[in-house]
Amino acid sequence: MRLVFAGTPEFAALALRQILAAGHQVVLVLTQPDRPSGRGMALRASPVKELANAAGLEVFQPPTLRDALVQQRIRAAGAEAMVVAAYGLILPQAVLDMPSHGCINIHASLLPRWRGAAPIQRAILAGDQETGVSIMQMEAGLDSGPVLLSASVPISDTDTAASLHETLALLGARLVVDVLARLPLPASPQPEVGITYAAKIDKAEASLDWHRPAWQLARQVRAFNPFPGSTCCLDDVPLKVWRAEAVAGDGRPGMVLRVERDGVVVACGEQALRLGELQKAGGRRLSAAQYLAGTALSPGACCALSGS
């Protein structure tokens, strides 16, 4: 099939790789403009652009799709379908109407649950037992189009946003290739009940609030790994917490209850949180044992909100 592909991060790059392996002709790749990255803030190409360049595909990086000249270039590609995966730009109706089979989106949730920007993180934060991927026929609404194909996966108690992202990216790549091979497919309208929205993750959400139950904070640590990371100040040292679990414990929220080889146990609003992997600003991630080997810490120390 003659395709336009629109995507930006690694999630999308995995889908593009599978689409190419399946023998489809990708005549144009849309991806976000290069962004400053790293300490030197040098411009960096997206994973999709890097893959497209390596495959010799035509790459187009407009800042918006609302411009008439931009739309003219997309129309000139003569695509039968456009595959969209974590692209990051709104597709106006004129673009949605261009391909004969329309625009097909790979969305990392079981729609209509978790429409929007951060479905993987929100599913973990909410304590969902499962999630999945929906291949959706796009329309003007936010992730509201009818679903062509979907599949579910369980969310384990150890899944992070990073591990779940990898699982769902591979699943999405497989499902979209399946859909492309079977077009035209009947699409099922999304139910009117069960709609939730996955707001974009804000860095202001990163700080661990010790007045909350430990199980909620454990979910937060998993959901915010790798971005933006969960933060606190342990004995006045700003830290990111990359691994944690709820354990038995009782005390004033934010007080260090126990200092153990496998973690620092901090009292919460309910139970306690064992911090198992920590990182100082500018340092590397350390297991609790590695961190404690270089930092003296005793029960009764204060673990505060970051920035407080």
mmCIF file of all heavy atoms in Angstrom, residues 230-280:
data_model
loop_
_atom_site.group_PDB
_atom_site.id
_atom_site.type_symbol
_atom_site.label_atom_id
_atom_site.label_comp_id
_atom_site.label_asym_id
_atom_site.label_seq_id
_atom_site.Cartn_x
_atom_site.Cartn_y
_atom_site.Cartn_z
ATOM 1 N N SER A 230 10.150 10.687 39.835
ATOM 2 C CA SER A 230 9.527 11.144 41.079
ATOM 3 C C SER A 230 10.602 11.732 41.989
ATOM 4 O O SER A 230 11.694 11.174 42.099
ATOM 5 C CB SER A 230 8.830 9.976 41.771
ATOM 6 O OG SER A 230 7.740 9.532 40.985
ATOM 7 N N THR A 231 10.286 12.842 42.645
ATOM 8 C CA THR A 231 11.318 13.595 43.371
ATOM 9 C C THR A 231 10.973 13.774 44.845
ATOM 10 O O THR A 231 9.801 13.766 45.240
ATOM 11 C CB THR A 231 11.521 14.980 42.736
ATOM 12 O OG1 THR A 231 10.282 15.710 42.791
ATOM 13 C CG2 THR A 231 11.964 14.862 41.294
ATOM 14 N N CYS A 232 12.015 13.954 45.639
ATOM 15 C CA CYS A 232 11.861 14.270 47.061
ATOM 16 C C CYS A 232 13.168 14.872 47.561
ATOM 17 O O CYS A 232 14.156 14.930 46.820
ATOM 18 C CB CYS A 232 11.498 13.027 47.871
ATOM 19 S SG CYS A 232 12.813 11.778 47.949
ATOM 20 N N CYS A 233 13.176 15.298 48.815
ATOM 21 C CA CYS A 233 14.414 15.727 49.480
ATOM 22 C C CYS A 233 14.621 14.824 50.684
ATOM 23 O O CYS A 233 13.826 14.857 51.632
ATOM 24 C CB CYS A 233 14.326 17.188 49.922
ATOM 25 S SG CYS A 233 14.585 18.374 48.587
ATOM 26 N N LEU A 234 15.642 14.008 50.656
ATOM 27 C CA LEU A 234 15.934 13.073 51.738
ATOM 28 C C LEU A 234 17.069 13.630 52.579
ATOM 29 O O LEU A 234 18.198 13.743 52.094
ATOM 30 C CB LEU A 234 16.307 11.705 51.150
ATOM 31 C CG LEU A 234 16.641 10.588 52.133
ATOM 32 C CD1 LEU A 234 15.512 10.362 53.126
ATOM 33 C CD2 LEU A 234 16.966 9.306 51.383
ATOM 34 N N ASP A 235 16.747 14.014 53.803
ATOM 35 C CA ASP A 235 17.732 14.634 54.686
ATOM 36 C C ASP A 235 18.375 15.846 53.998
ATOM 37 O O ASP A 235 19.599 16.020 53.997
ATOM 38 C CB ASP A 235 18.799 13.612 55.092
ATOM 39 C CG ASP A 235 19.358 13.874 56.488
ATOM 40 O OD1 ASP A 235 18.737 14.661 57.228
ATOM 41 O OD2 ASP A 235 20.411 13.312 56.812
ATOM 42 N N ASP A 236 17.514 16.648 53.345
ATOM 43 C CA ASP A 236 17.884 17.892 52.645
ATOM 44 C C ASP A 236 18.644 17.667 51.339
ATOM 45 O O ASP A 236 19.137 18.630 50.737
ATOM 46 C CB ASP A 236 18.723 18.811 53.553
ATOM 47 C CG ASP A 236 17.923 19.351 54.731
ATOM 48 O OD1 ASP A 236 16.703 19.563 54.567
ATOM 49 O OD2 ASP A 236 18.513 19.544 55.799
ATOM 50 N N VAL A 237 18.737 16.421 50.871
ATOM 51 C CA VAL A 237 19.403 16.139 49.593
ATOM 52 C C VAL A 237 18.341 15.892 48.525
ATOM 53 O O VAL A 237 17.560 14.946 48.639
ATOM 54 C CB VAL A 237 20.324 14.910 49.701
ATOM 55 C CG1 VAL A 237 20.967 14.601 48.352
ATOM 56 C CG2 VAL A 237 21.387 15.128 50.765
ATOM 57 N N PRO A 238 18.268 16.737 47.473
ATOM 58 C CA PRO A 238 17.287 16.500 46.402
ATOM 59 C C PRO A 238 17.595 15.197 45.660
ATOM 60 O O PRO A 238 18.738 14.938 45.283
ATOM 61 C CB PRO A 238 17.465 17.712 45.488
ATOM 62 C CG PRO A 238 18.186 18.735 46.310
ATOM 63 C CD PRO A 238 19.051 17.971 47.253
ATOM 64 N N LEU A 239 16.558 14.393 45.459
ATOM 65 C CA LEU A 239 16.728 13.091 44.829
ATOM 66 C C LEU A 239 15.616 12.811 43.839
ATOM 67 O O LEU A 239 14.510 13.355 43.947
ATOM 68 C CB LEU A 239 16.698 11.977 45.883
ATOM 69 C CG LEU A 239 17.786 11.924 46.950
ATOM 70 C CD1 LEU A 239 17.440 10.843 47.963
ATOM 71 C CD2 LEU A 239 19.140 11.641 46.306
ATOM 72 N N LYS A 240 15.925 11.920 42.905
ATOM 73 C CA LYS A 240 14.887 11.266 42.122
ATOM 74 C C LYS A 240 14.792 9.815 42.592
ATOM 75 O O LYS A 240 15.811 9.183 42.878
ATOM 76 C CB LYS A 240 15.191 11.318 40.622
ATOM 77 C CG LYS A 240 14.926 12.682 40.001
ATOM 78 C CD LYS A 240 14.944 12.625 38.486
ATOM 79 C CE LYS A 240 14.536 13.974 37.907
ATOM 80 N NZ LYS A 240 14.478 13.956 36.410
ATOM 81 N N VAL A 241 13.573 9.325 42.678
ATOM 82 C CA VAL A 241 13.323 7.957 43.112
ATOM 83 C C VAL A 241 12.857 7.151 41.908
ATOM 84 O O VAL A 241 11.842 7.486 41.281
ATOM 85 C CB VAL A 241 12.255 7.910 44.222
ATOM 86 C CG1 VAL A 241 12.002 6.470 44.662
ATOM 87 C CG2 VAL A 241 12.673 8.780 45.399
ATOM 88 N N TRP A 242 13.601 6.093 41.573
ATOM 89 C CA TRP A 242 13.301 5.318 40.370
ATOM 90 C C TRP A 242 12.659 3.973 40.666
ATOM 91 O O TRP A 242 12.088 3.349 39.763
ATOM 92 C CB TRP A 242 14.585 5.105 39.559
ATOM 93 C CG TRP A 242 15.148 6.382 39.033
ATOM 94 C CD1 TRP A 242 16.298 7.001 39.413
ATOM 95 C CD2 TRP A 242 14.576 7.232 38.026
ATOM 96 N NE1 TRP A 242 16.483 8.170 38.713
ATOM 97 C CE2 TRP A 242 15.444 8.336 37.854
ATOM 98 C CE3 TRP A 242 13.410 7.162 37.250
ATOM 99 C CZ2 TRP A 242 15.184 9.352 36.942
ATOM 100 C CZ3 TRP A 242 13.153 8.189 36.345
ATOM 101 C CH2 TRP A 242 14.025 9.257 36.197
ATOM 102 N N ARG A 243 12.768 3.515 41.896
ATOM 103 C CA ARG A 243 12.139 2.239 42.259
ATOM 104 C C ARG A 243 11.687 2.320 43.700
ATOM 105 O O ARG A 243 12.434 2.781 44.571
ATOM 106 C CB ARG A 243 13.120 1.082 42.050
ATOM 107 C CG ARG A 243 12.567 -0.298 42.380
ATOM 108 C CD ARG A 243 13.452 -1.406 41.812
ATOM 109 N NE ARG A 243 14.864 -1.205 42.100
ATOM 110 C CZ ARG A 243 15.468 -1.609 43.215
ATOM 111 N NH1 ARG A 243 14.759 -2.193 44.173
ATOM 112 N NH2 ARG A 243 16.755 -1.402 43.392
ATOM 113 N N ALA A 244 10.447 1.888 43.953
ATOM 114 C CA ALA A 244 9.903 1.952 45.310
ATOM 115 C C ALA A 244 8.753 0.961 45.431
ATOM 116 O O ALA A 244 8.132 0.578 44.442
ATOM 117 C CB ALA A 244 9.415 3.367 45.623
ATOM 118 N N GLU A 245 8.457 0.566 46.667
ATOM 119 C CA GLU A 245 7.339 -0.330 46.912
ATOM 120 C C GLU A 245 6.711 -0.019 48.252
ATOM 121 O O GLU A 245 7.376 0.456 49.186
ATOM 122 C CB GLU A 245 7.791 -1.793 46.873
ATOM 123 C CG GLU A 245 8.840 -2.150 47.921
ATOM 124 C CD GLU A 245 9.249 -3.603 47.853
ATOM 125 O OE1 GLU A 245 8.451 -4.432 47.405
ATOM 126 O OE2 GLU A 245 10.389 -3.912 48.273
ATOM 127 N N ALA A 246 5.400 -0.271 48.351
ATOM 128 C CA ALA A 246 4.686 -0.075 49.605
ATOM 129 C C ALA A 246 5.003 -1.222 50.560
ATOM 130 O O ALA A 246 5.021 -2.386 50.161
ATOM 131 C CB ALA A 246 3.188 -0.003 49.343
ATOM 132 N N VAL A 247 5.283 -0.870 51.827
ATOM 133 C CA VAL A 247 5.595 -1.869 52.854
ATOM 134 C C VAL A 247 4.894 -1.469 54.154
ATOM 135 O O VAL A 247 4.341 -0.370 54.281
ATOM 136 C CB VAL A 247 7.120 -1.984 53.096
ATOM 137 C CG1 VAL A 247 7.832 -2.511 51.859
ATOM 138 C CG2 VAL A 247 7.708 -0.642 53.525
ATOM 139 N N ALA A 248 4.928 -2.366 55.111
ATOM 140 C CA ALA A 248 4.335 -2.068 56.411
ATOM 141 C C ALA A 248 5.143 -0.985 57.115
ATOM 142 O O ALA A 248 6.372 -0.922 57.005
ATOM 143 C CB ALA A 248 4.295 -3.328 57.269
ATOM 144 N N GLY A 249 4.455 -0.120 57.822
ATOM 145 C CA GLY A 249 5.137 0.941 58.564
ATOM 146 C C GLY A 249 4.149 1.992 59.012
ATOM 147 O O GLY A 249 3.100 2.179 58.382
ATOM 148 N N ASP A 250 4.472 2.668 60.095
ATOM 149 C CA ASP A 250 3.570 3.677 60.633
ATOM 150 C C ASP A 250 4.398 4.768 61.295
ATOM 151 O O ASP A 250 5.328 4.488 62.059
ATOM 152 C CB ASP A 250 2.613 3.040 61.647
ATOM 153 C CG ASP A 250 1.582 4.035 62.150
ATOM 154 O OD1 ASP A 250 1.019 4.780 61.331
ATOM 155 O OD2 ASP A 250 1.362 4.087 63.378
ATOM 156 N N GLY A 251 4.080 6.006 60.999
ATOM 157 C CA GLY A 251 4.800 7.119 61.586
ATOM 158 C C GLY A 251 4.373 8.420 60.953
ATOM 159 O O GLY A 251 3.460 8.466 60.122
ATOM 160 N N ARG A 252 5.005 9.486 61.351
ATOM 161 C CA ARG A 252 4.704 10.803 60.789
ATOM 162 C C ARG A 252 5.081 10.819 59.313
ATOM 163 O O ARG A 252 6.218 10.465 58.956
ATOM 164 C CB ARG A 252 5.471 11.874 61.552
ATOM 165 C CG ARG A 252 5.315 13.290 61.018
ATOM 166 C CD ARG A 252 5.951 14.307 61.958
ATOM 167 N NE ARG A 252 7.301 13.930 62.322
ATOM 168 C CZ ARG A 252 8.382 14.159 61.551
ATOM 169 N NH1 ARG A 252 8.238 14.752 60.370
ATOM 170 N NH2 ARG A 252 9.574 13.800 61.972
ATOM 171 N N PRO A 253 4.164 11.218 58.432
ATOM 172 C CA PRO A 253 4.474 11.218 57.001
ATOM 173 C C PRO A 253 5.753 11.981 56.681
ATOM 174 O O PRO A 253 5.935 13.120 57.120
ATOM 175 C CB PRO A 253 3.250 11.895 56.374
ATOM 176 C CG PRO A 253 2.133 11.570 57.315
ATOM 177 C CD PRO A 253 2.767 11.602 58.684
ATOM 178 N N GLY A 254 6.659 11.304 55.973
ATOM 179 C CA GLY A 254 7.921 11.905 55.599
ATOM 180 C C GLY A 254 9.073 11.554 56.519
ATOM 181 O O GLY A 254 10.215 11.921 56.239
ATOM 182 N N MET A 255 8.807 10.817 57.587
ATOM 183 C CA MET A 255 9.879 10.444 58.504
ATOM 184 C C MET A 255 10.487 9.106 58.082
ATOM 185 O O MET A 255 9.781 8.165 57.731
ATOM 186 C CB MET A 255 9.343 10.315 59.932
ATOM 187 C CG MET A 255 10.417 9.975 60.967
ATOM 188 S SD MET A 255 9.774 9.924 62.667
ATOM 189 C CE MET A 255 8.768 8.433 62.588
ATOM 190 N N VAL A 256 11.825 9.043 58.086
ATOM 191 C CA VAL A 256 12.512 7.791 57.785
ATOM 192 C C VAL A 256 12.327 6.839 58.958
ATOM 193 O O VAL A 256 12.708 7.145 60.096
ATOM 194 C CB VAL A 256 14.014 8.038 57.520
ATOM 195 C CG1 VAL A 256 14.751 6.708 57.348
ATOM 196 C CG2 VAL A 256 14.196 8.903 56.273
ATOM 197 N N LEU A 257 11.712 5.700 58.696
ATOM 198 C CA LEU A 257 11.433 4.717 59.741
ATOM 199 C C LEU A 257 12.570 3.718 59.899
ATOM 200 O O LEU A 257 12.934 3.350 61.019
ATOM 201 C CB LEU A 257 10.138 3.957 59.419
ATOM 202 C CG LEU A 257 8.863 4.789 59.306
ATOM 203 C CD1 LEU A 257 7.698 3.884 58.925
ATOM 204 C CD2 LEU A 257 8.570 5.511 60.611
ATOM 205 N N ARG A 258 13.095 3.271 58.751
ATOM 206 C CA ARG A 258 14.142 2.249 58.797
ATOM 207 C C ARG A 258 15.135 2.520 57.661
ATOM 208 O O ARG A 258 14.755 2.996 56.588
ATOM 209 C CB ARG A 258 13.550 0.842 58.613
ATOM 210 C CG ARG A 258 12.538 0.463 59.684
ATOM 211 C CD ARG A 258 12.098 -1.000 59.567
ATOM 212 N NE ARG A 258 11.403 -1.325 58.332
ATOM 213 C CZ ARG A 258 10.101 -1.123 58.123
ATOM 214 N NH1 ARG A 258 9.362 -0.553 59.072
ATOM 215 N NH2 ARG A 258 9.529 -1.477 56.986
ATOM 216 N N VAL A 259 16.375 2.199 57.919
ATOM 217 C CA VAL A 259 17.417 2.271 56.892
ATOM 218 C C VAL A 259 17.939 0.862 56.703
ATOM 219 O O VAL A 259 18.639 0.324 57.566
ATOM 220 C CB VAL A 259 18.548 3.241 57.294
ATOM 221 C CG1 VAL A 259 19.625 3.260 56.210
ATOM 222 C CG2 VAL A 259 17.982 4.639 57.523
ATOM 223 N N GLU A 260 17.562 0.238 55.604
ATOM 224 C CA GLU A 260 17.871 -1.163 55.343
ATOM 225 C C GLU A 260 18.726 -1.279 54.096
ATOM 226 O O GLU A 260 18.761 -0.366 53.252
ATOM 227 C CB GLU A 260 16.577 -1.964 55.173
ATOM 228 C CG GLU A 260 15.639 -1.826 56.358
ATOM 229 C CD GLU A 260 14.244 -2.379 56.095
ATOM 230 O OE1 GLU A 260 13.892 -2.559 54.902
ATOM 231 O OE2 GLU A 260 13.517 -2.617 57.071
ATOM 232 N N ARG A 261 19.372 -2.419 53.948
ATOM 233 C CA ARG A 261 20.241 -2.613 52.788
ATOM 234 C C ARG A 261 19.467 -2.517 51.475
ATOM 235 O O ARG A 261 19.966 -1.994 50.476
ATOM 236 C CB ARG A 261 20.949 -3.973 52.878
ATOM 237 C CG ARG A 261 21.870 -4.243 51.688
ATOM 238 C CD ARG A 261 22.693 -5.493 51.860
ATOM 239 N NE ARG A 261 23.493 -5.757 50.664
ATOM 240 C CZ ARG A 261 24.627 -5.149 50.377
ATOM 241 N NH1 ARG A 261 25.102 -4.242 51.201
ATOM 242 N NH2 ARG A 261 25.294 -5.448 49.269
ATOM 243 N N ASP A 262 18.221 -3.003 51.494
ATOM 244 C CA ASP A 262 17.443 -3.003 50.244
ATOM 245 C C ASP A 262 16.529 -1.795 50.114
ATOM 246 O O ASP A 262 15.716 -1.736 49.195
ATOM 247 C CB ASP A 262 16.638 -4.293 50.113
ATOM 248 C CG ASP A 262 15.702 -4.518 51.291
ATOM 249 O OD1 ASP A 262 15.806 -3.776 52.289
ATOM 250 O OD2 ASP A 262 14.865 -5.435 51.209
ATOM 251 N N GLY A 263 16.644 -0.812 51.013
ATOM 252 C CA GLY A 263 15.851 0.382 50.819
ATOM 253 C C GLY A 263 15.721 1.251 52.056
ATOM 254 O O GLY A 263 15.931 0.803 53.186
ATOM 255 N N VAL A 264 15.375 2.510 51.808
ATOM 256 C CA VAL A 264 15.086 3.472 52.873
ATOM 257 C C VAL A 264 13.572 3.522 53.023
ATOM 258 O O VAL A 264 12.849 3.830 52.064
ATOM 259 C CB VAL A 264 15.635 4.866 52.511
ATOM 260 C CG1 VAL A 264 15.288 5.880 53.594
ATOM 261 C CG2 VAL A 264 17.139 4.807 52.282
ATOM 262 N N VAL A 265 13.073 3.210 54.223
ATOM 263 C CA VAL A 265 11.636 3.111 54.458
ATOM 264 C C VAL A 265 11.129 4.423 55.050
ATOM 265 O O VAL A 265 11.584 4.854 56.116
ATOM 266 C CB VAL A 265 11.311 1.932 55.387
ATOM 267 C CG1 VAL A 265 9.802 1.856 55.643
ATOM 268 C CG2 VAL A 265 11.811 0.623 54.777
ATOM 269 N N VAL A 266 10.178 5.052 54.329
ATOM 270 C CA VAL A 266 9.664 6.362 54.710
ATOM 271 C C VAL A 266 8.172 6.242 55.007
ATOM 272 O O VAL A 266 7.414 5.658 54.224
ATOM 273 C CB VAL A 266 9.895 7.388 53.585
ATOM 274 C CG1 VAL A 266 9.387 8.769 53.998
ATOM 275 C CG2 VAL A 266 11.369 7.461 53.206
ATOM 276 N N ALA A 267 7.737 6.812 56.128
ATOM 277 C CA ALA A 267 6.327 6.778 56.516
ATOM 278 C C ALA A 267 5.486 7.610 55.553
ATOM 279 O O ALA A 267 5.896 8.685 55.103
ATOM 280 C CB ALA A 267 6.166 7.291 57.947
ATOM 281 N N CYS A 268 4.280 7.097 55.282
ATOM 282 C CA CYS A 268 3.343 7.795 54.396
ATOM 283 C C CYS A 268 2.013 7.987 55.118
ATOM 284 O O CYS A 268 1.853 7.603 56.279
ATOM 285 C CB CYS A 268 3.124 6.977 53.124
ATOM 286 S SG CYS A 268 4.631 6.668 52.183
ATOM 287 N N GLY A 269 1.054 8.577 54.428
ATOM 288 C CA GLY A 269 -0.273 8.749 55.013
ATOM 289 C C GLY A 269 -0.887 7.418 55.404
ATOM 290 O O GLY A 269 -1.623 7.329 56.393
ATOM 291 N N GLU A 270 -0.632 6.392 54.616
ATOM 292 C CA GLU A 270 -0.984 5.011 54.943
ATOM 293 C C GLU A 270 0.220 4.142 54.611
ATOM 294 O O GLU A 270 0.803 4.275 53.536
ATOM 295 C CB GLU A 270 -2.186 4.533 54.114
ATOM 296 C CG GLU A 270 -3.492 5.235 54.424
ATOM 297 C CD GLU A 270 -4.621 4.738 53.537
ATOM 298 O OE1 GLU A 270 -4.512 3.611 52.999
ATOM 299 O OE2 GLU A 270 -5.600 5.486 53.363
ATOM 300 N N GLN A 271 0.621 3.294 55.514
ATOM 301 C CA GLN A 271 1.763 2.412 55.364
ATOM 302 C C GLN A 271 3.062 3.210 55.167
ATOM 303 O O GLN A 271 3.188 4.346 55.632
ATOM 304 C CB GLN A 271 1.537 1.419 54.212
ATOM 305 C CG GLN A 271 0.364 0.458 54.412
ATOM 306 C CD GLN A 271 0.294 -0.537 53.291
ATOM 307 O OE1 GLN A 271 0.082 -0.193 52.134
ATOM 308 N NE2 GLN A 271 0.482 -1.811 53.634
ATOM 309 N N ALA A 272 4.027 2.599 54.481
ATOM 310 C CA ALA A 272 5.317 3.250 54.251
ATOM 311 C C ALA A 272 5.828 2.876 52.869
ATOM 312 O O ALA A 272 5.367 1.905 52.257
ATOM 313 C CB ALA A 272 6.323 2.828 55.318
ATOM 314 N N LEU A 273 6.783 3.661 52.383
ATOM 315 C CA LEU A 273 7.352 3.442 51.054
ATOM 316 C C LEU A 273 8.830 3.109 51.192
ATOM 317 O O LEU A 273 9.577 3.856 51.827
ATOM 318 C CB LEU A 273 7.181 4.694 50.186
ATOM 319 C CG LEU A 273 7.453 4.527 48.697
ATOM 320 C CD1 LEU A 273 6.369 3.671 48.039
ATOM 321 C CD2 LEU A 273 7.524 5.892 47.994
ATOM 322 N N ARG A 274 9.234 1.969 50.636
ATOM 323 C CA ARG A 274 10.650 1.606 50.623
ATOM 324 C C ARG A 274 11.265 2.123 49.323
ATOM 325 O O ARG A 274 10.860 1.734 48.226
ATOM 326 C CB ARG A 274 10.836 0.094 50.719
ATOM 327 C CG ARG A 274 12.334 -0.300 50.669
ATOM 328 C CD ARG A 274 12.513 -1.806 50.585
ATOM 329 N NE ARG A 274 12.242 -2.435 51.874
ATOM 330 C CZ ARG A 274 11.434 -3.489 52.022
ATOM 331 N NH1 ARG A 274 10.817 -4.011 50.976
ATOM 332 N NH2 ARG A 274 11.246 -4.014 53.218
ATOM 333 N N LEU A 275 12.244 3.017 49.447
ATOM 334 C CA LEU A 275 12.923 3.601 48.291
ATOM 335 C C LEU A 275 14.079 2.694 47.906
ATOM 336 O O LEU A 275 15.048 2.559 48.656
ATOM 337 C CB LEU A 275 13.428 5.005 48.626
ATOM 338 C CG LEU A 275 12.439 5.943 49.345
ATOM 339 C CD1 LEU A 275 13.067 7.307 49.557
ATOM 340 C CD2 LEU A 275 11.134 6.054 48.570
ATOM 341 N N GLY A 276 14.016 2.094 46.728
ATOM 342 C CA GLY A 276 14.998 1.091 46.353
ATOM 343 C C GLY A 276 16.048 1.536 45.363
ATOM 344 O O GLY A 276 17.102 0.910 45.252
ATOM 345 N N GLU A 277 15.776 2.613 44.623
ATOM 346 C CA GLU A 277 16.759 3.119 43.663
ATOM 347 C C GLU A 277 16.680 4.643 43.656
ATOM 348 O O GLU A 277 15.597 5.212 43.469
ATOM 349 C CB GLU A 277 16.495 2.563 42.258
ATOM 350 C CG GLU A 277 17.573 2.921 41.249
ATOM 351 C CD GLU A 277 17.347 2.273 39.884
ATOM 352 O OE1 GLU A 277 16.273 1.674 39.684
ATOM 353 O OE2 GLU A 277 18.244 2.383 39.036
ATOM 354 N N LEU A 278 17.831 5.299 43.850
ATOM 355 C CA LEU A 278 17.866 6.740 44.067
ATOM 356 C C LEU A 278 18.908 7.385 43.163
ATOM 357 O O LEU A 278 19.870 6.742 42.730
ATOM 358 C CB LEU A 278 18.208 7.036 45.529
ATOM 359 C CG LEU A 278 17.300 6.383 46.580
ATOM 360 C CD1 LEU A 278 17.954 6.426 47.949
ATOM 361 C CD2 LEU A 278 15.950 7.069 46.612
ATOM 362 N N GLN A 279 18.721 8.677 42.930
ATOM 363 C CA GLN A 279 19.673 9.408 42.084
ATOM 364 C C GLN A 279 19.792 10.848 42.574
ATOM 365 O O GLN A 279 18.801 11.575 42.641
ATOM 366 C CB GLN A 279 19.210 9.386 40.622
ATOM 367 C CG GLN A 279 20.151 10.093 39.662
ATOM 368 C CD GLN A 279 19.629 10.081 38.238
ATOM 369 O OE1 GLN A 279 18.439 9.908 37.996
ATOM 370 N NE2 GLN A 279 20.529 10.254 37.278
ATOM 371 N N LYS A 280 21.016 11.250 42.890
ATOM 372 C CA LYS A 280 21.281 12.653 43.212
ATOM 373 C C LYS A 280 21.354 13.465 41.929
ATOM 374 O O LYS A 280 21.625 12.934 40.850
ATOM 375 C CB LYS A 280 22.598 12.780 43.976
ATOM 376 C CG LYS A 280 22.598 12.174 45.362
ATOM 377 C CD LYS A 280 23.949 12.396 46.046
ATOM 378 C CE LYS A 280 23.983 11.789 47.436
ATOM 379 N NZ LYS A 280 25.295 11.993 48.098
#
